Amino acid sequence: MMSIPLSESGSLYSQLITRLRDVRDIQSAAAVLQWDRATYMPLGGATARGRQLATLRQVAHDKLCDPALGELLEQLEAQGQSYPYDSHEASLIRVARRDYDQARRVPGEFMARLSSHQTETYLAWAQAREESDFQRVCPYLEKTLALSQEWASFFPECDRPADSLIALSDEGMTSAILEELFSQLRGELVDIVQAIAQAPAPDSKLLQQQFSETSQLNFCKTLMERIGYDFSRGRQDATLHPFTTSFSINDVRITTRTDPNNLTESLFCSLHEMGHALYEQNIDPALEATPLADGSSSGIHESQSRLWENIVGRSRAFWECFYPRLQGLFLRQLGQSSVCDFYRTINRVACTPIRTAADEVTYNLHVMIRFELEVAMLEGKLSVQDLPEAWNSCYERDLEITPRSDKDGVLQDVHWYSQLIGGQFQGYTLGNLIASQLFETALKQHPEIPVDLERGQFTSLLTWLQRNVYRHGRKFTADELVDRITGMPIHPDPFLRYIRSKYGDLYKLDL
Amino acid sequence: MMSIPLSESGSLYSQLITRLRDVRDIQSAAAVLQWDRATYMPLGGATARGRQLATLRQVAHDKLCDPALGELLEQLEAQGQSYPYDSHEASLIRVARRDYDQARRVPGEFMARLSSHQTETYLAWAQAREESDFQRVCPYLEKTLALSQEWASFFPECDRPADSLIALSDEGMTSAILEELFSQLRGELVDIVQAIAQAPAPDSKLLQQQFSETSQLNFCKTLMERIGYDFSRGRQDATLHPFTTSFSINDVRITTRTDPNNLTESLFCSLHEMGHALYEQNIDPALEATPLADGSSSGIHESQSRLWENIVGRSRAFWECFYPRLQGLFLRQLGQSSVCDFYRTINRVACTPIRTAADEVTYNLHVMIRFELEVAMLEGKLSVQDLPEAWNSCYERDLEITPRSDKDGVLQDVHWYSQLIGGQFQGYTLGNLIASQLFETALKQHPEIPVDLERGQFTSLLTWLQRNVYRHGRKFTADELVDRITGMPIHPDPFLRYIRSKYGDLYKLDL
């Protein structure tokens, strides 16, 4: 099955592969159970499902923490260093060591407590959100905060409590680095948003008509196939909170939602999840069933969803090719409009309360608010009880709006109510920055990409991404990967250049 | 979660519950992965899925064989015997002991070998069946036979090799008991079939028209809901080889298939699977996540699918109530026919090659042929190479037909190609016998049942089944259960009485 060549210490290395594959298989089984919960599971199944997931996670955690695995890694340490840094062997030993060291810090009984708390909290949140009643979920969230602080306590070498949580999804990032990066970005973005707010806004009525949901889904499917998503190794299903999940490099599934009164929901949600899925489907097959068969970090993963959703999917070039087809499908609704109308509409900038529906310019403001609040809660500077008020003040400060209710405010995102508090959001903004930074480099190396996009040809871009990003899976950290490709650390300038150029042009402003 | 009251040795008993629940959770996770494989998994996912299932089974097997579980059961032995035989406590300890003793006999490495062989064999069979090419799968089946004989060797106390395999699904049954039972039944059935073959056969054209598949499924859904299947604790999906699966008492799923040119496929397939599902949904909730939350045996389980599919679903009373609705849905196709036409058509007796499409009278002949061939192979009296020929001879002997090809013959059923050879089929015929035996008793105790069925009222029958069969889960063996309810051992007479009366009437014959 594994095509990783065995090193001289063949049997030890293959023992490592086998142990890691068992862990991976159980984690993948848990992912199937979660996918089913979000797509097809009947309501009645919820309690048992929560318990089954907790059991699987416990088994995976126990196997990952097995001291025999630690010994094996110890024995393979020198061997691993004798291989090139980017080889399968060296990378696998390095990343497995990191996972092992991290898992060993967290007691199994904590994982069990956390898992059952998360299941309860998720259910409470779903109801609280429905009723827009933060108080219903507040005690759960207080316990989540305590658990998150307990998690942080397992990593006393970190300067600040959020750091160990950030490292979980964005290895190498810290609260301090992110605060620095975000404060620069926020300043610039708030100015850009204010300038755009003064300019006349395009109409959004074009998108707000009746569109058959089946036709929407079929169109999305055709688009995704054309771009390169392989449906023989994946599928698309409906869900409430869309996500992408992978059970193997050859089984990477997208979920999406449609709105019969808004075309953008399914279109951009599908392109977003497809970006994640292209990454996972194009990991080197030799890494199958190892801990390297994953994205590098939350930021790199998000860079791929945002690149395909926004840089490609909201570009003029892309719709020059596909708008006529979309019009053909929805002749009555779109027949009278031009590609220019459509392009302006899908890139309308507006200060609205919902993160997932936000445009490219305001989006990062939503994210940075959440990051700021997470850090404040973890550091004891903000109580959970005061969270809704703090949330609304931040929105007033950065976006000059106040959510009508907690449903449109602090209850909108599932993250804090299904995971830990801390490290949940920075990846979204890192993703936007990295997407622009990678795309700038791709254009330098392949100036033909924009013309190809206009022709509906995706091979040049996809091949470049496959070669530079996708195939490596989790071999490199985000910093390493971005530096290897662009010769620079992660930086906000390419993103700001992209936004200034695109939206300056769209709004006829000198940003 | 568990409402089983703790005995005085509370902590030991709750340790048992916890250990068994972990095993059950992993087995349920494996069931979710299998369900997904049969319904939604993309083709590309097959290899990883096979490996993931093998890993989960290995983990469950290891946990079930843990000597600490054995010690716990040892310590609880006396305690268990101090409780009434039918109490939760005594039953759980008794059944867990049986599972433990059985699992301990089978080496873990055998389970791993078996699991990966089964995945390969299933894929080879799917292709062989498509191409009607038995030779393609023959070497796999030879290995399956060797593995089945190896399995039997772990139980040297059994008289004959099939016995340990039969005991896996029908505890208490042996080759000898079944041969005795089946030889009596076969003699009588062959005579009945021959008598019916002389009589004029009803037309089957009524059912072979065009029927919208969506309408078929909607009608089935309405029927199932009306009877008592709880969709908030289950669902129905399409698959190639329909089955019912349970991940919890509160998540019991049906799969089905539809044929746009044949109404009976979806109708009776749905009622059949619903019978299995009613059983699982109605197990005492206190048994959730224990090894008792299952059917008593393959025979008892099948008795429920066949009772609802045939005794109820192919009865005149049932369609007196529902045929007008079915006609309303398919007015063009059925509008000109009477309930009597329909009743005769769905009970048409014919010697055809496919077991799953067989009528009530010939069905058991199909089953008994498979049982006979299984035993012969296991005992070295029939080689796999000679199986297709032996299959065809048996069909010639009992049904006077020869399958056109192996696709309609030896390749038609998935069982031997996804499980072991031995113990795979007897449950179907036991189910038919038990269904009639139970239904006879139900009628004696509740003579109002036929009138209720005619009115579309299922409470009297369902409540009787719930009280006498369903709630007990796996507490009793089939023998115990049948004896408790009917005061008799499992016996072919009630089934033969049912067949003689119904088909004598239908075909105007003195059977």
Side-chain angles (χ1 to χ4, degrees), chain B residues 133-280:
Chain B
D133 178 7
F134 180 76
Q135 287 311 318
R136 180 186 277 279
V137 80
C138 184
Y140 293 91
L141 202 56
E142 281 171 343
K143 195 171 162 197
T144 307
L145 179 59
L147 286 164
S148 308
Q149 286 163 330
E150 190 177 347
W151 172 283
S153 75
F154 303 139
F155 301 86
E157 74 281 16
C158 289
D159 287 337
R160 292 167 60 189
D163 290 358
S164 65
L165 290 150
I166 292 168
L168 265 181
S169 45
D170 289 291
E171 175 82 20
M173 285 289 159
T174 63
S175 321
I177 299 175
L178 289 165
E179 280 170 352
E180 168 84 22
L181 197 65
F182 287 178
S183 100
Q184 189 188 346
L185 183 64
R186 187 195 337 246
E188 308 252 12
L189 278 180
V190 166
D191 290 348
I192 296 174
V193 170
Q194 280 174 359
I196 292 177
Q198 312 297 320
D203 201 330
S204 64
K205 281 192 197 132
L206 186 63
L207 304 171
Q208 286 155 12
Q209 306 182 63
Q210 289 263 321
F211 300 94
S212 134
E213 291 179 277
T214 315
S215 301
Q216 288 188 50
L217 283 173
N218 286 339
F219 183 77
C220 291
K221 200 179 165 190
T222 314
L223 266 192
M224 290 192 285
E225 260 177 333
R226 173 72 176 269
I227 294 172
Y229 175 72
D230 181 353
F231 273 94
S232 78
R233 302 190 293 129
R235 51 178 291 121
Q236 182 174 40
D237 298 272
T239 194
L240 209 57
H241 306 285
F243 60 94
T244 296
T245 183
S246 159
F247 318 136
S248 152
I249 292 169
N250 298 313
D251 191 353
V252 181
R253 304 192 191 178
I254 289 168
T255 60
T256 196
R257 65 177 164 210
T258 50
D259 180 343
N261 303 308
N262 188 342
L263 190 53
T264 47
E265 185 76 39
S266 65
L267 267 184
F268 296 107
C269 174
S270 293
L271 289 172
H272 180 99
E273 300 306 333
M274 182 208 68
H276 286 302
L278 286 179
Y279 190 176
E280 301 265 352

Side-chain angles (χ1 to χ4, degrees), chain B residues 57-68:
Chain B
R57 288 193 191 117
Q58 180 76 54
V59 172
H61 186 76
D62 290 349
K63 282 193 180 278
L64 187 55
C65 291
D66 189 338

